[in-house]
Amino acid sequence: MSTSKVRTGQLYGKSKEDLKKQLVDLKTELGQLRTQKIAGGASSKLTKIHDLRKSIARVLTVINSNQRTQLRLFYAKKKYLPLDLRPKKTRAIRRRLSRHEATRMTDKQKKRSTHFPQRKYAVKA
């Protein structure tokens, strides 16, 4: 089956069906290697198992990232965005007032600022 490591750059060009097929192939090969290891295979099988596990992870990563980009496109014009697609930041930043909310003033505050503006002093040097 596959003897070399999977390159992530090559995976992004593939379709979803091709990626799923490659994932199934890698998993079956991994199962075969594990049975050979139990039967008493060579130590070179251990590195091959390691490479296969990492290749499976790469394929799954590409599948998930493609799925997330499709979801981002779907929710681009919607009013609400799912929680896992929103920016993480920190809890305090997420709860902070937005820039628009922070700059709003009540009518009383507006009147006070127009009628009693901040005084300007000329400071002698």
Side-chain angles (χ1 to χ4, degrees):
M1 293 193 180
S2 68
T3 54
S4 64
K5 293 181 189 176
V6 175
R7 299 274 175 235
T8 313
Q10 297 168 349
L11 294 176
Y12 277 103
K14 292 187 175 183
S15 68
K16 188 177 178 182
E17 291 78 26
D18 291 341
L19 289 171
K20 295 238 180 189
K21 185 175 179 289
Q22 187 170 5
L23 185 65
V24 169
D25 292 344
L26 289 169
K27 283 185 175 181
T28 54
E29 189 176 352
L30 181 65
Q32 290 170 356
L33 280 175
R34 282 191 172 144
T35 54
Q36 289 174 7
K37 185 183 111 177
I38 291 168
S43 63
S44 64
K45 299 272 191 269
L46 293 174
T47 56
K48 190 117 168 41
I49 287 173
H50 176 267
D51 292 344
L52 271 174
R53 287 179 61 231
K54 300 303 171 189
S55 297
I56 289 170
R58 285 187 189 101
V59 171
L60 285 171
T61 302
V62 170
I63 289 171
N64 287 332
S65 70
N66 287 344
Q67 192 173 19
R68 284 176 71 83
T69 53
Q70 291 299 317
L71 282 171
R72 281 193 191 283
L73 290 172
F74 177 75
Y75 284 106
K77 303 291 182 200
K78 301 278 192 278
K79 185 176 181 183
Y80 296 111
L81 195 65
L83 293 177
D84 58 335
L85 294 180
R86 292 179 194 172
K88 179 82 167 107
K89 299 184 180 176
T90 62
R91 192 167 187 264
I93 291 173
R94 289 195 305 266
R95 276 146 184 73
R96 191 166 60 188
L97 289 176
S98 69
R99 192 170 280 140
H100 173 71
E101 291 167 340
T103 56
R104 288 188 70 186
M105 275 193 198
T106 62
D107 289 336
K108 190 172 184 177
Q109 284 174 317
K110 286 177 191 169
K111 285 178 189 172
R112 183 179 286 168
S113 64
T114 55
H115 294 299
F116 305 102
Q118 183 79 42
R119 292 187 177 180
K120 296 179 183 78
Y121 295 100
V123 179
K124 189 174 181 181

